[in-house]
Amino acid sequence: YKELIKEVPQNAEYQRMLGICYRENSQNDSPLIALNQSIQLAPKYGNAYLGRAMVYLKLNNWKLASEDCRLAQKYQCTAFGQLYSILGNIAFHQQNYNESIQYILKSNRYSDAIYCKQNDWILAQNYLSIKDTAAAIKYLKMQLKINPEDIAATNLLTQLLED
């Protein structure tokens, strides 16, 4: 995307995709710089706000992530599964467990939710928080189908099944 940006520096989508690449490679400030540039080039581009919300989520900045989700919705982002997954994450970390469950279940209805590998883990954590062990076990098993090497999920499932 760096080369494409050199050729077409005013392309907001190239900037957004560069930001996503940086984010996926755990680079520090680079994702925010690229996503801010995308938003500056196209201030009504909902998917750019969603990309930036994902960066804020990784930084545990729930307020800014939530604000960007609101802007992503306002400007009609197209990745609804990811949007609701982020909102579910935010609600979970704010201890709004029932709200989080509703967002995550809503996220799973969209095809792009395949990119939200943590959804089952978050659902399991939510159900544990509201003392629904059976539902937590169900979602831990689903998490392990997607990611059988998930040690935290394996350990928690083992513990719950022993209790």
Side-chain angles (χ1 to χ4, degrees):
Y1 288 100
K2 288 180 183 179
E3 293 302 316
L4 289 170
I5 290 169
K6 286 179 187 175
E7 293 177 31
V8 189
Q10 300 299 358
N11 189 304
E13 175 63 5
Y14 294 163
Q15 289 287 347
R16 182 183 78 89
M17 291 305 297
L18 180 62
I20 290 170
C21 290
Y22 286 145
R23 183 191 72 223
E24 294 303 313
N25 288 306
S26 299
Q27 298 200 12
N28 294 331
D29 296 329
S30 300
L32 284 176
I33 292 169
L35 289 160
N36 286 339
Q37 180 65 25
S38 177
I39 290 167
Q40 185 177 3
L41 290 168
K44 294 182 179 181
Y45 184 29
N47 287 347
Y49 288 100
L50 185 64
R52 192 170 70 180
M54 292 177 81
V55 174
Y56 288 137
L57 186 69
K58 275 186 144 179
L59 296 172
N60 297 329
N61 189 329
W62 318 124
K63 182 179 183 218
L64 290 178
S66 183
E67 288 173 14
D68 272 357
C69 283
R70 185 185 57 75
L71 290 167
Q73 287 177 307
K74 177 180 178 180
Y75 296 123
Q76 302 172 347
C77 80
T78 57
F80 296 111
Q82 293 175 46
L83 173 68
Y84 293 125
S85 179
I86 293 170
L87 289 169
N89 257 293
I90 293 167
F92 175 76
H93 288 287
Q94 294 175 335
Q95 298 181 345
N96 297 324
Y97 303 120
N98 289 320
E99 181 181 331
S100 177
I101 290 168
Q102 294 308 310
Y103 278 128
I104 297 297
L105 292 174
K106 198 170 187 179
S107 169
N108 288 341
R109 295 183 197 138
Y110 294 93
S111 62
D112 67 309
I114 193 166
Y115 299 108
C116 307
K117 296 175 188 169
Q118 76 280 5
N119 281 2
D120 292 325
W121 174 252
I122 296 168
L123 283 168
Q125 296 296 308
N126 277 304
Y127 282 116
L128 276 176
S129 297
I130 61 172
K131 311 288 189 239
D132 187 341
T133 306
I137 289 170
K138 171 186 169 184
Y139 285 103
L140 285 169
K141 287 179 178 179
M142 291 171 67
Q143 172 70 15
L144 289 169
K145 283 183 184 177
I146 295 169
N147 186 4
E149 291 85 33
D150 187 333
I151 294 170
T154 301
N155 291 341
L156 183 54
L157 179 61
T158 302
Q159 178 187 348
L160 291 174
L161 291 173
E162 288 174 354
D163 289 344

mmCIF file with all atom_site columns, all heavy atoms in Angstrom, residues 32-54:
data_model
loop_
_atom_site.group_PDB
_atom_site.id
_atom_site.type_symbol
_atom_site.label_atom_id
_atom_site.label_alt_id
_atom_site.label_comp_id
_atom_site.label_asym_id
_atom_site.label_entity_id
_atom_site.label_seq_id
_atom_site.pdbx_PDB_ins_code
_atom_site.Cartn_x
_atom_site.Cartn_y
_atom_site.Cartn_z
_atom_site.occupancy
_atom_site.B_iso_or_equiv
_atom_site.pdbx_formal_charge
_atom_site.auth_seq_id
_atom_site.auth_comp_id
_atom_site.auth_asym_id
_atom_site.auth_atom_id
_atom_site.pdbx_PDB_model_num
ATOM 1   N N   . LEU A 1 32 ? -2.435  4.558  13.582 1.00 0.00 ? 32 LEU A N   1
ATOM 2   C CA  . LEU A 1 32 ? -3.205  5.776  13.824 1.00 0.00 ? 32 LEU A CA  1
ATOM 3   C C   . LEU A 1 32 ? -2.861  6.862  12.813 1.00 0.00 ? 32 LEU A C   1
ATOM 4   O O   . LEU A 1 32 ? -3.741  7.567  12.333 1.00 0.00 ? 32 LEU A O   1
ATOM 5   C CB  . LEU A 1 32 ? -2.989  6.292  15.249 1.00 0.00 ? 32 LEU A CB  1
ATOM 6   C CG  . LEU A 1 32 ? -3.721  5.533  16.340 1.00 0.00 ? 32 LEU A CG  1
ATOM 7   C CD1 . LEU A 1 32 ? -3.351  6.065  17.719 1.00 0.00 ? 32 LEU A CD1 1
ATOM 8   C CD2 . LEU A 1 32 ? -5.215  5.591  16.133 1.00 0.00 ? 32 LEU A CD2 1
ATOM 9   N N   . ILE A 1 33 ? -1.589  6.971  12.465 1.00 0.00 ? 33 ILE A N   1
ATOM 10  C CA  . ILE A 1 33 ? -1.183  7.983  11.486 1.00 0.00 ? 33 ILE A CA  1
ATOM 11  C C   . ILE A 1 33 ? -1.865  7.714  10.150 1.00 0.00 ? 33 ILE A C   1
ATOM 12  O O   . ILE A 1 33 ? -2.456  8.620  9.548  1.00 0.00 ? 33 ILE A O   1
ATOM 13  C CB  . ILE A 1 33 ? 0.358   8.014  11.336 1.00 0.00 ? 33 ILE A CB  1
ATOM 14  C CG1 . ILE A 1 33 ? 0.987   8.548  12.624 1.00 0.00 ? 33 ILE A CG1 1
ATOM 15  C CG2 . ILE A 1 33 ? 0.770   8.857  10.132 1.00 0.00 ? 33 ILE A CG2 1
ATOM 16  C CD1 . ILE A 1 33 ? 2.491   8.374  12.704 1.00 0.00 ? 33 ILE A CD1 1
ATOM 17  N N   . ALA A 1 34 ? -1.824  6.470  9.683  1.00 0.00 ? 34 ALA A N   1
ATOM 18  C CA  . ALA A 1 34 ? -2.417  6.130  8.381  1.00 0.00 ? 34 ALA A CA  1
ATOM 19  C C   . ALA A 1 34 ? -3.942  6.280  8.417  1.00 0.00 ? 34 ALA A C   1
ATOM 20  O O   . ALA A 1 34 ? -4.545  6.811  7.471  1.00 0.00 ? 34 ALA A O   1
ATOM 21  C CB  . ALA A 1 34 ? -2.026  4.713  7.978  1.00 0.00 ? 34 ALA A CB  1
ATOM 22  N N   . LEU A 1 35 ? -4.580  5.831  9.498  1.00 0.00 ? 35 LEU A N   1
ATOM 23  C CA  . LEU A 1 35 ? -6.040  5.925  9.590  1.00 0.00 ? 35 LEU A CA  1
ATOM 24  C C   . LEU A 1 35 ? -6.494  7.374  9.756  1.00 0.00 ? 35 LEU A C   1
ATOM 25  O O   . LEU A 1 35 ? -7.513  7.776  9.186  1.00 0.00 ? 35 LEU A O   1
ATOM 26  C CB  . LEU A 1 35 ? -6.567  5.039  10.717 1.00 0.00 ? 35 LEU A CB  1
ATOM 27  C CG  . LEU A 1 35 ? -6.451  3.545  10.384 1.00 0.00 ? 35 LEU A CG  1
ATOM 28  C CD1 . LEU A 1 35 ? -6.496  2.705  11.643 1.00 0.00 ? 35 LEU A CD1 1
ATOM 29  C CD2 . LEU A 1 35 ? -7.526  3.131  9.403  1.00 0.00 ? 35 LEU A CD2 1
ATOM 30  N N   . ASN A 1 36 ? -5.744  8.173  10.491 1.00 0.00 ? 36 ASN A N   1
ATOM 31  C CA  . ASN A 1 36 ? -6.062  9.601  10.586 1.00 0.00 ? 36 ASN A CA  1
ATOM 32  C C   . ASN A 1 36 ? -5.951  10.272 9.219  1.00 0.00 ? 36 ASN A C   1
ATOM 33  O O   . ASN A 1 36 ? -6.767  11.121 8.866  1.00 0.00 ? 36 ASN A O   1
ATOM 34  C CB  . ASN A 1 36 ? -5.147  10.301 11.594 1.00 0.00 ? 36 ASN A CB  1
ATOM 35  C CG  . ASN A 1 36 ? -5.505  9.976  13.029 1.00 0.00 ? 36 ASN A CG  1
ATOM 36  O OD1 . ASN A 1 36 ? -6.615  9.571  13.331 1.00 0.00 ? 36 ASN A OD1 1
ATOM 37  N ND2 . ASN A 1 36 ? -4.543  10.142 13.929 1.00 0.00 ? 36 ASN A ND2 1
ATOM 38  N N   . GLN A 1 37 ? -4.958  9.867  8.451  1.00 0.00 ? 37 GLN A N   1
ATOM 39  C CA  . GLN A 1 37 ? -4.799  10.409 7.092  1.00 0.00 ? 37 GLN A CA  1
ATOM 40  C C   . GLN A 1 37 ? -5.987  10.007 6.219  1.00 0.00 ? 37 GLN A C   1
ATOM 41  O O   . GLN A 1 37 ? -6.510  10.815 5.455  1.00 0.00 ? 37 GLN A O   1
ATOM 42  C CB  . GLN A 1 37 ? -3.482  9.921  6.471  1.00 0.00 ? 37 GLN A CB  1
ATOM 43  C CG  . GLN A 1 37 ? -3.225  10.432 5.071  1.00 0.00 ? 37 GLN A CG  1
ATOM 44  C CD  . GLN A 1 37 ? -3.027  11.938 5.020  1.00 0.00 ? 37 GLN A CD  1
ATOM 45  O OE1 . GLN A 1 37 ? -2.630  12.564 5.988  1.00 0.00 ? 37 GLN A OE1 1
ATOM 46  N NE2 . GLN A 1 37 ? -3.329  12.526 3.876  1.00 0.00 ? 37 GLN A NE2 1
ATOM 47  N N   . SER A 1 38 ? -6.434  8.771  6.350  1.00 0.00 ? 38 SER A N   1
ATOM 48  C CA  . SER A 1 38 ? -7.603  8.302  5.598  1.00 0.00 ? 38 SER A CA  1
ATOM 49  C C   . SER A 1 38 ? -8.835  9.138  5.942  1.00 0.00 ? 38 SER A C   1
ATOM 50  O O   . SER A 1 38 ? -9.586  9.562  5.056  1.00 0.00 ? 38 SER A O   1
ATOM 51  C CB  . SER A 1 38 ? -7.862  6.824  5.897  1.00 0.00 ? 38 SER A CB  1
ATOM 52  O OG  . SER A 1 38 ? -9.019  6.381  5.235  1.00 0.00 ? 38 SER A OG  1
ATOM 53  N N   . ILE A 1 39 ? -9.013  9.393  7.233  1.00 0.00 ? 39 ILE A N   1
ATOM 54  C CA  . ILE A 1 39 ? -10.163 10.179 7.682  1.00 0.00 ? 39 ILE A CA  1
ATOM 55  C C   . ILE A 1 39 ? -10.039 11.632 7.222  1.00 0.00 ? 39 ILE A C   1
ATOM 56  O O   . ILE A 1 39 ? -11.021 12.251 6.819  1.00 0.00 ? 39 ILE A O   1
ATOM 57  C CB  . ILE A 1 39 ? -10.321 10.068 9.216  1.00 0.00 ? 39 ILE A CB  1
ATOM 58  C CG1 . ILE A 1 39 ? -10.773 8.644  9.571  1.00 0.00 ? 39 ILE A CG1 1
ATOM 59  C CG2 . ILE A 1 39 ? -11.283 11.115 9.759  1.00 0.00 ? 39 ILE A CG2 1
ATOM 60  C CD1 . ILE A 1 39 ? -10.674 8.295  11.033 1.00 0.00 ? 39 ILE A CD1 1
ATOM 61  N N   . GLN A 1 40 ? -8.828  12.149 7.231  1.00 0.00 ? 40 GLN A N   1
ATOM 62  C CA  . GLN A 1 40 ? -8.620  13.519 6.753  1.00 0.00 ? 40 GLN A CA  1
ATOM 63  C C   . GLN A 1 40 ? -8.960  13.624 5.264  1.00 0.00 ? 40 GLN A C   1
ATOM 64  O O   . GLN A 1 40 ? -9.566  14.595 4.832  1.00 0.00 ? 40 GLN A O   1
ATOM 65  C CB  . GLN A 1 40 ? -7.177  13.948 7.004  1.00 0.00 ? 40 GLN A CB  1
ATOM 66  C CG  . GLN A 1 40 ? -6.907  15.395 6.639  1.00 0.00 ? 40 GLN A CG  1
ATOM 67  C CD  . GLN A 1 40 ? -5.484  15.813 6.969  1.00 0.00 ? 40 GLN A CD  1
ATOM 68  O OE1 . GLN A 1 40 ? -4.663  15.017 7.422  1.00 0.00 ? 40 GLN A OE1 1
ATOM 69  N NE2 . GLN A 1 40 ? -5.186  17.076 6.751  1.00 0.00 ? 40 GLN A NE2 1
ATOM 70  N N   . LEU A 1 41 ? -8.599  12.600 4.498  1.00 0.00 ? 41 LEU A N   1
ATOM 71  C CA  . LEU A 1 41 ? -8.887  12.604 3.058  1.00 0.00 ? 41 LEU A CA  1
ATOM 72  C C   . LEU A 1 41 ? -10.374 12.410 2.770  1.00 0.00 ? 41 LEU A C   1
ATOM 73  O O   . LEU A 1 41 ? -10.897 12.949 1.791  1.00 0.00 ? 41 LEU A O   1
ATOM 74  C CB  . LEU A 1 41 ? -8.084  11.499 2.359  1.00 0.00 ? 41 LEU A CB  1
ATOM 75  C CG  . LEU A 1 41 ? -6.574  11.719 2.286  1.00 0.00 ? 41 LEU A CG  1
ATOM 76  C CD1 . LEU A 1 41 ? -5.872  10.442 1.833  1.00 0.00 ? 41 LEU A CD1 1
ATOM 77  C CD2 . LEU A 1 41 ? -6.251  12.882 1.356  1.00 0.00 ? 41 LEU A CD2 1
ATOM 78  N N   . ALA A 1 42 ? -11.041 11.615 3.600  1.00 0.00 ? 42 ALA A N   1
ATOM 79  C CA  . ALA A 1 42 ? -12.472 11.315 3.389  1.00 0.00 ? 42 ALA A CA  1
ATOM 80  C C   . ALA A 1 42 ? -13.177 11.324 4.746  1.00 0.00 ? 42 ALA A C   1
ATOM 81  O O   . ALA A 1 42 ? -13.382 10.264 5.345  1.00 0.00 ? 42 ALA A O   1
ATOM 82  C CB  . ALA A 1 42 ? -12.630 9.980  2.685  1.00 0.00 ? 42 ALA A CB  1
ATOM 83  N N   . PRO A 1 43 ? -13.551 12.502 5.240  1.00 0.00 ? 43 PRO A N   1
ATOM 84  C CA  . PRO A 1 43 ? -14.110 12.610 6.591  1.00 0.00 ? 43 PRO A CA  1
ATOM 85  C C   . PRO A 1 43 ? -15.429 11.868 6.812  1.00 0.00 ? 43 PRO A C   1
ATOM 86  O O   . PRO A 1 43 ? -15.825 11.677 7.956  1.00 0.00 ? 43 PRO A O   1
ATOM 87  C CB  . PRO A 1 43 ? -14.320 14.111 6.775  1.00 0.00 ? 43 PRO A CB  1
ATOM 88  C CG  . PRO A 1 43 ? -13.550 14.775 5.697  1.00 0.00 ? 43 PRO A CG  1
ATOM 89  C CD  . PRO A 1 43 ? -13.376 13.789 4.602  1.00 0.00 ? 43 PRO A CD  1
ATOM 90  N N   . LYS A 1 44 ? -16.076 11.427 5.760  1.00 0.00 ? 44 LYS A N   1
ATOM 91  C CA  . LYS A 1 44 ? -17.338 10.693 5.912  1.00 0.00 ? 44 LYS A CA  1
ATOM 92  C C   . LYS A 1 44 ? -17.194 9.230  5.498  1.00 0.00 ? 44 LYS A C   1
ATOM 93  O O   . LYS A 1 44 ? -18.152 8.592  5.076  1.00 0.00 ? 44 LYS A O   1
ATOM 94  C CB  . LYS A 1 44 ? -18.443 11.369 5.093  1.00 0.00 ? 44 LYS A CB  1
ATOM 95  C CG  . LYS A 1 44 ? -18.792 12.745 5.616  1.00 0.00 ? 44 LYS A CG  1
ATOM 96  C CD  . LYS A 1 44 ? -19.912 13.374 4.842  1.00 0.00 ? 44 LYS A CD  1
ATOM 97  C CE  . LYS A 1 44 ? -20.248 14.742 5.428  1.00 0.00 ? 44 LYS A CE  1
ATOM 98  N NZ  . LYS A 1 44 ? -21.344 15.378 4.709  1.00 0.00 ? 44 LYS A NZ  1
ATOM 99  N N   . TYR A 1 45 ? -15.991 8.685  5.667  1.00 0.00 ? 45 TYR A N   1
ATOM 100 C CA  . TYR A 1 45 ? -15.700 7.297  5.291  1.00 0.00 ? 45 TYR A CA  1
ATOM 101 C C   . TYR A 1 45 ? -15.797 6.417  6.540  1.00 0.00 ? 45 TYR A C   1
ATOM 102 O O   . TYR A 1 45 ? -14.865 6.325  7.339  1.00 0.00 ? 45 TYR A O   1
ATOM 103 C CB  . TYR A 1 45 ? -14.323 7.229  4.651  1.00 0.00 ? 45 TYR A CB  1
ATOM 104 C CG  . TYR A 1 45 ? -13.909 5.889  4.127  1.00 0.00 ? 45 TYR A CG  1
ATOM 105 C CD1 . TYR A 1 45 ? -14.841 4.959  3.661  1.00 0.00 ? 45 TYR A CD1 1
ATOM 106 C CD2 . TYR A 1 45 ? -12.579 5.524  4.091  1.00 0.00 ? 45 TYR A CD2 1
ATOM 107 C CE1 . TYR A 1 45 ? -14.449 3.730  3.177  1.00 0.00 ? 45 TYR A CE1 1
ATOM 108 C CE2 . TYR A 1 45 ? -12.171 4.295  3.600  1.00 0.00 ? 45 TYR A CE2 1
ATOM 109 C CZ  . TYR A 1 45 ? -13.112 3.408  3.158  1.00 0.00 ? 45 TYR A CZ  1
ATOM 110 O OH  . TYR A 1 45 ? -12.720 2.179  2.672  1.00 0.00 ? 45 TYR A OH  1
ATOM 111 N N   . GLY A 1 46 ? -16.953 5.793  6.733  1.00 0.00 ? 46 GLY A N   1
ATOM 112 C CA  . GLY A 1 46 ? -17.231 5.021  7.933  1.00 0.00 ? 46 GLY A CA  1
ATOM 113 C C   . GLY A 1 46 ? -16.242 3.919  8.227  1.00 0.00 ? 46 GLY A C   1
ATOM 114 O O   . GLY A 1 46 ? -15.888 3.678  9.390  1.00 0.00 ? 46 GLY A O   1
ATOM 115 N N   . ASN A 1 47 ? -15.757 3.229  7.207  1.00 0.00 ? 47 ASN A N   1
ATOM 116 C CA  . ASN A 1 47 ? -14.830 2.121  7.441  1.00 0.00 ? 47 ASN A CA  1
ATOM 117 C C   . ASN A 1 47 ? -13.490 2.598  7.995  1.00 0.00 ? 47 ASN A C   1
ATOM 118 O O   . ASN A 1 47 ? -12.814 1.849  8.711  1.00 0.00 ? 47 ASN A O   1
ATOM 119 C CB  . ASN A 1 47 ? -14.629 1.305  6.169  1.00 0.00 ? 47 ASN A CB  1
ATOM 120 C CG  . ASN A 1 47 ? -15.838 0.471  5.829  1.00 0.00 ? 47 ASN A CG  1
ATOM 121 O OD1 . ASN A 1 47 ? -16.745 0.302  6.643  1.00 0.00 ? 47 ASN A OD1 1
ATOM 122 N ND2 . ASN A 1 47 ? -15.882 -0.050 4.621  1.00 0.00 ? 47 ASN A ND2 1
ATOM 123 N N   . ALA A 1 48 ? -13.100 3.840  7.695  1.00 0.00 ? 48 ALA A N   1
ATOM 124 C CA  . ALA A 1 48 ? -11.858 4.376  8.257  1.00 0.00 ? 48 ALA A CA  1
ATOM 125 C C   . ALA A 1 48 ? -12.022 4.589  9.764  1.00 0.00 ? 48 ALA A C   1
ATOM 126 O O   . ALA A 1 48 ? -11.115 4.286  10.548 1.00 0.00 ? 48 ALA A O   1
ATOM 127 C CB  . ALA A 1 48 ? -11.479 5.680  7.561  1.00 0.00 ? 48 ALA A CB  1
ATOM 128 N N   . TYR A 1 49 ? -13.191 5.097  10.175 1.00 0.00 ? 49 TYR A N   1
ATOM 129 C CA  . TYR A 1 49 ? -13.447 5.266  11.616 1.00 0.00 ? 49 TYR A CA  1
ATOM 130 C C   . TYR A 1 49 ? -13.463 3.904  12.313 1.00 0.00 ? 49 TYR A C   1
ATOM 131 O O   . TYR A 1 49 ? -12.968 3.766  13.430 1.00 0.00 ? 49 TYR A O   1
ATOM 132 C CB  . TYR A 1 49 ? -14.775 5.991  11.849 1.00 0.00 ? 49 TYR A CB  1
ATOM 133 C CG  . TYR A 1 49 ? -14.714 7.454  11.478 1.00 0.00 ? 49 TYR A CG  1
ATOM 134 C CD1 . TYR A 1 49 ? -15.225 7.881  10.260 1.00 0.00 ? 49 TYR A CD1 1
ATOM 135 C CD2 . TYR A 1 49 ? -14.135 8.393  12.325 1.00 0.00 ? 49 TYR A CD2 1
ATOM 136 C CE1 . TYR A 1 49 ? -15.174 9.228  9.906  1.00 0.00 ? 49 TYR A CE1 1
ATOM 137 C CE2 . TYR A 1 49 ? -14.075 9.729  11.983 1.00 0.00 ? 49 TYR A CE2 1
ATOM 138 C CZ  . TYR A 1 49 ? -14.593 10.140 10.773 1.00 0.00 ? 49 TYR A CZ  1
ATOM 139 O OH  . TYR A 1 49 ? -14.526 11.467 10.418 1.00 0.00 ? 49 TYR A OH  1
ATOM 140 N N   . LEU A 1 50 ? -14.021 2.904  11.658 1.00 0.00 ? 50 LEU A N   1
ATOM 141 C CA  . LEU A 1 50 ? -14.055 1.564  12.251 1.00 0.00 ? 50 LEU A CA  1
ATOM 142 C C   . LEU A 1 50 ? -12.640 1.022  12.416 1.00 0.00 ? 50 LEU A C   1
ATOM 143 O O   . LEU A 1 50 ? -12.300 0.440  13.446 1.00 0.00 ? 50 LEU A O   1
ATOM 144 C CB  . LEU A 1 50 ? -14.892 0.622  11.385 1.00 0.00 ? 50 LEU A CB  1
ATOM 145 C CG  . LEU A 1 50 ? -15.096 -0.772 11.960 1.00 0.00 ? 50 LEU A CG  1
ATOM 146 C CD1 . LEU A 1 50 ? -15.896 -0.711 13.256 1.00 0.00 ? 50 LEU A CD1 1
ATOM 147 C CD2 . LEU A 1 50 ? -15.801 -1.647 10.944 1.00 0.00 ? 50 LEU A CD2 1
ATOM 148 N N   . GLY A 1 51 ? -11.792 1.228  11.408 1.00 0.00 ? 51 GLY A N   1
ATOM 149 C CA  . GLY A 1 51 ? -10.396 0.796  11.507 1.00 0.00 ? 51 GLY A CA  1
ATOM 150 C C   . GLY A 1 51 ? -9.685  1.457  12.671 1.00 0.00 ? 51 GLY A C   1
ATOM 151 O O   . GLY A 1 51 ? -8.936  0.814  13.415 1.00 0.00 ? 51 GLY A O   1
ATOM 152 N N   . ARG A 1 52 ? -9.948  2.755  12.830 1.00 0.00 ? 52 ARG A N   1
ATOM 153 C CA  . ARG A 1 52 ? -9.310  3.472  13.937 1.00 0.00 ? 52 ARG A CA  1
ATOM 154 C C   . ARG A 1 52 ? -9.880  3.008  15.279 1.00 0.00 ? 52 ARG A C   1
ATOM 155 O O   . ARG A 1 52 ? -9.159  2.888  16.262 1.00 0.00 ? 52 ARG A O   1
ATOM 156 C CB  . ARG A 1 52 ? -9.479  4.980  13.747 1.00 0.00 ? 52 ARG A CB  1
ATOM 157 C CG  . ARG A 1 52 ? -8.605  5.786  14.683 1.00 0.00 ? 52 ARG A CG  1
ATOM 158 C CD  . ARG A 1 52 ? -8.582  7.243  14.347 1.00 0.00 ? 52 ARG A CD  1
ATOM 159 N NE  . ARG A 1 52 ? -9.870  7.862  14.632 1.00 0.00 ? 52 ARG A NE  1
ATOM 160 C CZ  . ARG A 1 52 ? -10.135 9.150  14.434 1.00 0.00 ? 52 ARG A CZ  1
ATOM 161 N NH1 . ARG A 1 52 ? -9.196  9.948  13.926 1.00 0.00 ? 52 ARG A NH1 1
ATOM 162 N NH2 . ARG A 1 52 ? -11.326 9.641  14.716 1.00 0.00 ? 52 ARG A NH2 1
ATOM 163 N N   . ALA A 1 53 ? -11.176 2.690  15.319 1.00 0.00 ? 53 ALA A N   1
ATOM 164 C CA  . ALA A 1 53 ? -11.777 2.166  16.555 1.00 0.00 ? 53 ALA A CA  1
ATOM 165 C C   . ALA A 1 53 ? -11.082 0.872  16.971 1.00 0.00 ? 53 ALA A C   1
ATOM 166 O O   . ALA A 1 53 ? -10.859 0.642  18.167 1.00 0.00 ? 53 ALA A O   1
ATOM 167 C CB  . ALA A 1 53 ? -13.278 1.928  16.352 1.00 0.00 ? 53 ALA A CB  1
ATOM 168 N N   . MET A 1 54 ? -10.716 0.043  16.008 1.00 0.00 ? 54 MET A N   1
ATOM 169 C CA  . MET A 1 54 ? -10.032 -1.217 16.329 1.00 0.00 ? 54 MET A CA  1
ATOM 170 C C   . MET A 1 54 ? -8.652  -0.949 16.938 1.00 0.00 ? 54 MET A C   1
ATOM 171 O O   . MET A 1 54 ? -8.206  -1.679 17.824 1.00 0.00 ? 54 MET A O   1
ATOM 172 C CB  . MET A 1 54 ? -9.937  -2.092 15.091 1.00 0.00 ? 54 MET A CB  1
ATOM 173 C CG  . MET A 1 54 ? -11.301 -2.598 14.649 1.00 0.00 ? 54 MET A CG  1
ATOM 174 S SD  . MET A 1 54 ? -11.254 -3.563 13.142 1.00 0.00 ? 54 MET A SD  1
ATOM 175 C CE  . MET A 1 54 ? -10.732 -5.139 13.814 1.00 0.00 ? 54 MET A CE  1
#
